[in-house]
């Protein structure tokens, strides 16, 4: 699954600033495809479309290109007609509002496991739909969606800003679907395969110091394997530890 297969769709957004903030939230997670359905900015008394545009660009900061490339539609039906899967975000349940709903993390895992390569190879597009800030998605809009998804929140104050909701979803999708790899300094767990490589390297270096002239190498290797696993070393830490042993051996050989 490529992130470009996923389209963020805003249905009837009311606040220009929120749209700009959504653009910023999207771009930080590698999403660039935005569709906007029938925006209604009049309630904010921003009837001047030029003023609304300025507000969007200002809130987008360095993600104005997402807004500039956004597609506009008059209805949600038109916005999703070329999508192979449509997911509606809503916290409300009801007779006409889907029986099952996934959290953002569950949705990301679902797309990763169930759609992944198939959707990418077939060119399938996935629409992730967010409703109006005040009213959310109505029953008709949810009816156009194949799946429902919700963000677990505290019932005492369940309201989320539109851009915050988009940020949560794009973050989870980025973690599950991005192929960008680990960033510098990110914790990467030491796999059993890599652990075994380091154990063999360390025991090999210790052998050069005169260890294992008698039996004991296998026992010590088991000790290192178990120690590395229990201590949850990162790959970088494991390599660093092995490097220390190597340097110690080299220094001892010079004296």
């Amino acid at each position: 699954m490529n992130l470009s297969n996923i389209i963020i769709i805003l249905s009837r957004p009311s606040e220009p600033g929120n749209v700009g903030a959504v653009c910023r939230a999207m771009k930080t997670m590698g999403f660039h495809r935005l569709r906007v359905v029938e925006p209604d900015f009049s309630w904010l008394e921003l009837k001047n479309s030029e003023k609304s545009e300025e507000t969007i660009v200002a809130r987008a900061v360095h993600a104005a290109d997402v807004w500039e490339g956004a597609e506009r539609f008059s209805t949600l039906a038109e916005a999703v007609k070329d999508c192979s899967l449509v997911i509606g975000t809503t916290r409300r349940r009801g007779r006409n509002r889907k029986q099952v709903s996934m959290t953002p993390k569950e949705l990301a895992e679902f797309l990763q496991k169930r759609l992944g390569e198939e959707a990418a190879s077939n060119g399938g597009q996935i629409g992730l739909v967010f409703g109006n800030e005040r009213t959310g998605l109505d029953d008709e809009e949810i009816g156009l969606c194949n799946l429902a998804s919700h963000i677990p929140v505290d019932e005492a104050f369940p309201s989320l800003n539109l851009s915050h909701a988009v940020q949560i979803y794009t973050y989870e999708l980025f973690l599950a679907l991005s192929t960008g790899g680990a960033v510098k300094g990110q914790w990467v767990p030491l796999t059993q395969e890599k652990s075994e490589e380091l154990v063999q390297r360390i025991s090999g270096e210790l052998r050069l110091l005169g260890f294992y002239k008698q039996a004991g190498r296998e026992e010590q290797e088991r000790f290192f394997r178990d120690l590395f696993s229990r201590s949850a070393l990162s790959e970088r830490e494991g390599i660093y530890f092995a490097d220390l042993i190597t340097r110690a051996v080299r220094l001892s050989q010079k004296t």
Side-chain angles (χ1 to χ4, degrees):
M1 166 68 67
N2 192 304
L3 296 182
S4 63
N5 289 91
I6 300 176
I7 306 167
I8 303 299
I9 303 174
L10 306 182
S11 186
R12 302 174 292 111
S14 299
E15 164 61 75
N18 282 341
V19 176
V22 164
C23 294
R24 184 176 185 181
M26 288 174 58
K27 191 169 182 178
T28 58
M29 295 296 125
F31 291 82
H32 294 85
R33 301 186 65 186
L34 174 66
R35 292 181 179 179
V36 181
V37 179
E38 194 183 15
D40 176 18
F41 299 151
S42 59
W43 74 283
L44 286 174
E45 298 181 356
L46 289 175
K47 297 180 180 180
N48 186 321
S49 61
E50 187 174 312
K51 176 65 175 178
S52 296
E53 192 86 12
E54 291 175 0
T55 302
I56 293 171
V57 172
R59 288 290 299 277
V61 190
H62 297 297
D65 57 306
V66 175
W67 170 247
E68 292 166 1
E71 300 173 89
R72 281 75 159 182
F73 295 85
S74 58
T75 67
L76 181 58
E78 293 176 357
V80 301
K81 68 179 181 180
D82 61 345
C83 295
S84 60
L85 179 67
V86 182
I87 301 128
T89 59
T90 178
R91 60 181 294 271
R92 289 184 287 147
R93 299 270 70 76
R95 182 177 178 182
N96 300 317
R97 301 187 67 81
K98 310 301 178 189
Q99 297 302 313
V100 178
S101 180
M102 299 181 183
T103 66
K105 185 176 180 63
E106 290 168 341
L107 175 64
E109 292 173 348
F110 171 78
L111 295 180
Q112 180 189 51
K113 296 175 182 178
R114 299 292 297 277
L115 299 176
E117 295 180 3
E118 179 183 350
S121 62
N122 294 337
Q125 298 187 136
I126 295 173
L128 183 57
V129 186
F130 296 84
N132 175 270
E133 293 94 322
R134 293 171 293 165
T135 60
L137 295 176
D138 61 29
D139 289 355
E140 183 179 347
E141 290 170 323
I142 279 291
L144 293 169
C145 302
N146 310 118
L147 293 172
S149 181
H150 70 283
I151 299 173
V153 291
D154 191 323
E155 289 301 317
F157 188 59
S159 178
L160 268 175
N161 181 274
L162 176 61
S163 64
H164 295 174
V166 171
Q167 188 75 83
I168 291 170
Y169 276 97
T170 53
Y171 170 75
E172 292 291 354
L173 291 168
F174 177 80
L175 288 185
L177 306 175
S178 175
T179 57
V183 299
K184 184 178 180 180
Q186 180 176 332
W187 185 78
V188 177
L190 188 62
T191 64
Q192 293 296 308
E193 180 181 17
K194 190 65 179 179
S195 176
E196 184 61 28
E197 290 179 9
L198 295 175
V199 167
Q200 293 302 319
R201 176 183 163 189
I202 291 169
S203 63
E205 295 289 359
L206 292 176
R207 181 185 61 81
L208 297 176
L209 285 178
F211 280 62
Y212 317 130
K213 289 182 178 179
Q214 298 179 351
R217 180 167 180 169
E218 290 185 6
E219 180 182 352
Q220 197 166 86
E221 287 177 348
R222 284 196 298 271
F223 167 77
F224 280 124
R225 287 190 200 98
D226 295 344
L227 178 65
F228 289 169
S229 296
R230 288 199 308 271
S231 58
L233 290 181
S234 69
E235 184 174 303
R236 185 174 182 179
E237 289 170 331
I239 293 173
Y240 184 74
F241 181 74
D243 286 344
L244 287 176
I245 299 297
T246 298
R247 277 185 278 177
V249 170
R250 298 294 181 267
L251 288 171
S252 69
Q253 291 175 333
K254 291 181 179 179
T255 58

